[in-house]
Amino acid sequence: MCGIVGYTGPREAYPVILKGLKRLEYRGYDSAGVALLNSGLKVYKKKGKVADLEESLIGKDVHANIGIGHTRWATHGEPNDRNAHPHLSASGRLSMIHNGIIENYALIKKELLSKGYAFKSDTDTEVLLNFIDEIQQHNDCSLEEAVRVALKRVVGAYCILLIDKEDPHTIIAARKGSPLVIGIGKGEHFLASDATPIIEYTKEVVYVNDYELAIVRPDELILKNLGNEKITPYITKLDMDLAAIEKGGYEHFMLKEIFEQPKTIYDCLRGRLDVANGTITMAGVENYMEQLKNAPRIIIIACGTSWHAGLVAEYVIEDLCRIPVEVEYASEFRYRNPVVNKGDVIIAISQSGETADTLVAIEKAKEQGAIIFGVVNAVGSSIARASHAGAYTHSGPEIGVASTKAFTGQLAVLNMIALKIAKVKGTISDERYHNLLAELEAVPEKVEAILENADAVKAIAEKYKDSSDALFLGRGYNFPVALEGALKLKEISYIHAEGYPAAEMKHGPIALVTETLPVVFVATKDSYHEKVVSNMQEIKARRGKVISIITEGDNISPTLSDDVFVVPPADEVIAPMLSVIPLQLLSYYAGTAKGYNVDMPRNLAKSVTVE
Ligand code: M6R
């Protein structure tokens, strides 16, 4: 949540920051602002998108070689100009941007009020800023020292960037729980929440860790811990190109990312899956194979779409590996008192690798001695680094708020993990193992075939776009896909949608069925198919509108459906990687038909770094 950018060096800072904010807008988009330091400290901020800020600054003096910028997802205080970042300290000397939540801000605010401080905003950020300001004024110390002292008292999560009117070259940055990447240029430095604003200037970056503080000048980067000890920055080379973070001719990132799936799934399998030799190479799994194959239980923790991938994995791992699996919402796991037994393995799934709930759940499981295996998309992210081992999904940057290509990447990785364990454990027959390897290899081509028919989904979406509600039903492997279809539709088209196991419908949701309710069946040919067809009949008998996702050659489902979309045949283990594609398209086309900004849906942000 919230995107932050900073620059110090010889370039004009404003265009660098503005471009960076546009790239980070997926992280929050209810207001934006910049603080620029030239002969004086200028702070400009505006409710709305980065483009609104840009427009408001036409003709203004934005000349500076150092600055910080922010795009916000509101936590404390409604989205308006006043609560937008950057904030200016009471002394007028400091400006700060912040991503995260300061949990003990109320107490600190009370202390500051008693010392005569007044506040212009409702934010926790302004409280932390004035706390730093007060420490600096009171102790007549450097900003770096004041930040260090303040952060020792702070409870919560933060990534902060500060500039000081008295020091026109330095940005002070610190993080705990919210990401920060520093790009190293020639005589210049770039700071951002992720690498996308940095990539066009340099490929050399440093990922700042929790409890680290950075002193950043054009030609100097000093990293310290909160005990004031220097840390050697670990420089990583970014493996990402600019094209990956641009729309490339598509109207929206979401559509681009849906259409990228043949390639992203291929990239995920490439170098790992060798059908001819019957092998899967995954170093992370191999290094922990003993623990994985002997695990008394696997606990999967994730949120949102990643949680749905975890549910599919539950079916796959239990089916192929005969290991009991539990799938938990990270937000629940972190706060209850979960039983983690010796030998249990945690699989943490996350696209961004920065989801606060998942990250904290990992720490909690670690405290109980669990091994953490991360299935993550964002390379170098906090969850990737917090895991003992893992496998990247290699889906490339996912920018649209709706998770699409990351989901199929997660399924590809989880399927490979399950197949590898099953092979070593001997819980899968040779024939099934080799068949599934070949089936996996064929997925990119099948996804391509589905996407060639995208217009058919568009027609369905346009027909039902004005519905107020929708039901998504599926059984077995397709039950999590139904949940995912419902999540996609609500977040992108704002149509209220529920996902249910098809059989569970008769225990309640069937009461909702009327002549106008679209009921989407994820009904590809699998071992549950006949049962699903019976459920379809139950809806049809009540005159519900049936839309079904079916397998080529299924002659029965069309007779019970108002609309059908056909996908190529696949083993039931693999089928979710295909059946989800039309559902992604359905939400995209419903959202765009209603004129919504599908890349930045209402109230959402891509990376949920607050709990
Ligand atoms: O980055 P993560 O995979 O950890 O994110 C988890 C959820 O926040 C995410 O999947 C969210 O539900 C998406 N908006 C779904 O499209």
Side-chain angles (χ1 to χ4, degrees):
M1 259 67 183
C2 303
I4 62 173
V5 187
Y7 175 79
T8 177
R11 295 175 203 253
E12 281 295 332
Y14 174 64
V16 173
I17 293 170
L18 196 72
K19 207 172 194 185
L21 290 181
K22 286 183 179 166
R23 296 235 162 96
L24 290 180
E25 213 167 9
Y26 72 87
R27 301 178 66 88
Y29 34 82
D30 54 45
S31 58
V34 289
L36 301 163
L37 188 52
N38 185 6
S39 43
L41 178 57
K42 293 182 235 51
V43 176
Y44 303 111
K45 42 198 204 167
K46 189 90 198 134
K47 179 181 173 185
K49 302 231 160 49
V50 177
D52 299 310
L53 172 75
E54 184 179 18
E55 205 186 309
S56 72
L57 292 187
I58 294 170
K60 295 258 167 62
D61 175 17
V62 289
H63 168 65
N65 300 112
I66 178 169
I68 53 179
H70 189 268
T71 175
R72 179 170 187 246
W73 187 87
T75 57
H76 295 62
E78 67 175 79
N80 56 27
D81 291 357
R82 212 165 45 81
N83 289 328
H85 301 207
H87 292 281
L88 195 60
S89 67
S91 68
R93 180 172 164 177
L94 307 178
S95 183
M96 184 171 102
I97 52 177
H98 168 219
N99 170 23
I101 289 182
I102 306 303
E103 287 171 16
N104 57 343
Y105 84 102
L107 191 67
I108 300 174
K109 185 170 185 176
K110 207 167 152 198
E111 287 172 20
L112 291 171
L113 286 169
S114 72
K115 288 177 182 168
Y117 273 82
F119 294 86
K120 297 185 206 84
S121 76
D122 312 313
T123 63
D124 51 343
T125 304
E126 193 189 6
V127 174
L128 174 58
L129 173 61
N130 278 329
F131 185 40
I132 294 169
D133 182 272
E134 197 264 337
I135 295 168
Q136 190 183 28
Q137 307 286 321
H138 189 258
N139 300 320
D140 193 21
C141 61
S142 68
L143 175 58
E144 175 200 333
E145 185 56 27
V147 169
R148 200 177 2 260
V149 172
L151 292 184
K152 284 186 185 153
R153 258 204 69 193
V154 160
V155 178
Y158 55 80
C159 170
I160 51 171
L161 303 192
L162 291 108
I163 48 177
D164 179 348
K165 206 158 119 182
E166 308 294 320
D167 182 351
H169 303 290
T170 310
I171 297 175
I172 302 288
R175 78 156 265 181
K176 185 199 150 207
S178 299
L180 174 62
V181 190
I182 302 179
I184 303 167
K186 288 199 173 70
E188 58 184 349
H189 283 102
F190 306 83
L191 301 91
S193 304
D194 72 28
T196 56
I198 297 174
I199 185 78
E200 72 181 275
Y201 308 106
T202 175
K203 293 220 161 184
E204 294 199 336
V205 296
V206 172
Y207 290 96
V208 178
N209 291 308
D210 280 351
Y211 303 106
E212 286 179 1
L213 189 140
I215 301 115
V216 191
R217 302 193 176 97
D219 46 15
E220 190 177 35
L221 165 62
I222 302 170
L223 267 192
K224 292 185 177 178
N225 60 22
L226 294 186
N228 201 19
E229 291 159 340
K230 279 198 179 175
I231 299 164
T232 310
Y234 179 74
I235 300 173
T236 313
K237 262 223 146 34
L238 287 175
D239 180 20
M240 185 198 291
D241 58 30
L242 203 54
I245 55 168
E246 291 184 336
K247 283 190 200 151
Y250 285 91
E251 203 178 331
H252 296 100
F253 280 110
M254 182 177 174
L255 191 63
K256 177 189 176 221
E257 287 156 7
I258 292 173
F259 272 82
E260 273 176 347
Q261 287 176 105
K263 178 172 183 314
T264 54
I265 298 168
Y266 174 78
D267 287 346
C268 178
L269 303 175
R270 189 168 47 131
R272 290 168 164 166
L273 188 71
D274 182 342
V275 179
N277 290 308
T279 56
I280 296 169
T281 310
M282 294 174 105
V285 181
E286 278 137 35
N287 295 340
Y288 279 84
M289 184 49 90
E290 278 305 301
Q291 290 91 332
L292 283 163
K293 85 173 167 56
N294 296 320
R297 188 172 57 144
I298 290 177
I299 304 171
I300 298 179
I301 49 177
C303 305
T305 290
S306 298
W307 185 77
H308 296 153
L311 284 182
V312 177
E314 177 182 25
Y315 283 84
V316 182
I317 296 171
E318 293 204 339
D319 187 4
L320 302 185
C321 313
R322 310 305 300 147
I323 300 173
V325 179
E326 278 170 31
V327 189
E328 291 251 17
Y329 283 118
S331 53
E332 289 299 313
F333 183 89
R334 65 179 283 192
Y335 280 117
R336 60 186 193 82
N337 191 7
V339 178
V340 180
N341 294 318
K342 193 165 178 284
D344 285 349
V345 172
I346 304 281
I347 299 183
I349 309 174
S350 176
Q351 184 289 126
S352 62
E354 301 294 346
T355 301
D357 285 324
T358 310
L359 200 51
V360 179
I362 287 175
E363 296 308 333
K364 182 152 190 179
K366 265 187 179 172
E367 280 164 22
Q368 299 190 45
I371 288 157
I372 315 293
F373 193 94
V375 175
V376 175
N377 188 37
V379 176
S381 57
S382 302
I383 293 175
R385 286 179 294 140
S387 303
H388 296 110
Y392 283 118
T393 52
H394 296 311
S395 310
E398 191 181 68
I399 293 166
V401 163
S403 195
T404 53
K405 62 177 180 172
F407 180 73
T408 46
Q410 289 163 348
L411 295 186
V413 164
L414 292 161
N415 280 333
M416 286 191 282
I417 294 171
L419 281 163
K420 246 181 119 55
I421 300 173
K423 178 83 175 125
V424 175
K425 271 192 93 170
T427 46
I428 188 169
S429 70
D430 274 356
E431 189 192 351
R432 184 143 168 74
Y433 174 78
H434 288 286
N435 277 346
L436 283 173
L437 254 53
E439 287 256 2
L440 256 182
E441 191 182 42
V443 170
E445 207 178 307
K446 291 180 182 176
V447 172
E448 189 83 62
I450 294 172
L451 291 170
E452 276 165 20
N453 264 332
D455 279 351
V457 185
K458 190 175 182 188
I460 299 174
E462 278 165 5
K463 187 165 160 190
Y464 295 101
K465 74 174 175 23
D466 295 319
S467 308
S468 56
D469 305 271
L471 261 184
F472 285 73
L473 304 175
R475 292 180 90 138
Y477 288 92
N478 276 326
F479 158 53
V481 179
L483 293 181
E484 175 59 7
L487 173 63
K488 284 287 95 84
L489 193 70
K490 43 189 163 204
E491 67 179 335
I492 299 304
S493 72
Y494 313 149
I495 296 172
H496 167 245
E498 297 284 341
Y500 257 88
E504 192 63 19
M505 164 203 64
K506 58 186 173 291
H507 298 286
I510 200 162
L512 297 170
V513 176
T514 63
E515 291 175 354
T516 55
L517 182 80
V519 182
V520 180
F521 276 91
V522 192
T524 51
K525 266 270 164 81
D526 56 18
S527 46
Y528 307 80
H529 189 249
E530 277 177 24
K531 306 277 176 205
V532 178
V533 168
S534 305
N535 300 137
M536 242 181 237
Q537 255 149 353
E538 288 157 7
I539 298 292
K540 223 39 244 161
R542 286 155 185 88
R543 301 196 173 176
K545 293 273 176 279
V546 173
I547 303 160
S548 25
I549 311 300
I550 61 167
T551 306
E552 252 167 53
D554 173 359
N555 298 322
I556 299 168
S557 305
T559 63
L560 298 166
S561 308
D562 296 271
D563 296 277
V564 290
F565 186 84
V566 181
V567 299
D571 187 285
E572 62 186 10
V573 167
I574 308 295
M577 296 178 75
L578 305 182
S579 54
V580 75
I581 310 284
L583 303 187
Q584 296 170 345
L585 289 167
L586 187 69
S587 67
Y588 173 80
Y589 287 124
T592 47
K594 292 170 88 175
Y596 297 144
N597 182 345
V598 294
D599 282 340
M600 294 180 204
R602 188 169 68 201
N603 300 336
L604 288 170
K606 179 75 180 160
S607 185
V608 186
T609 54
V610 295
E611 67 169 286

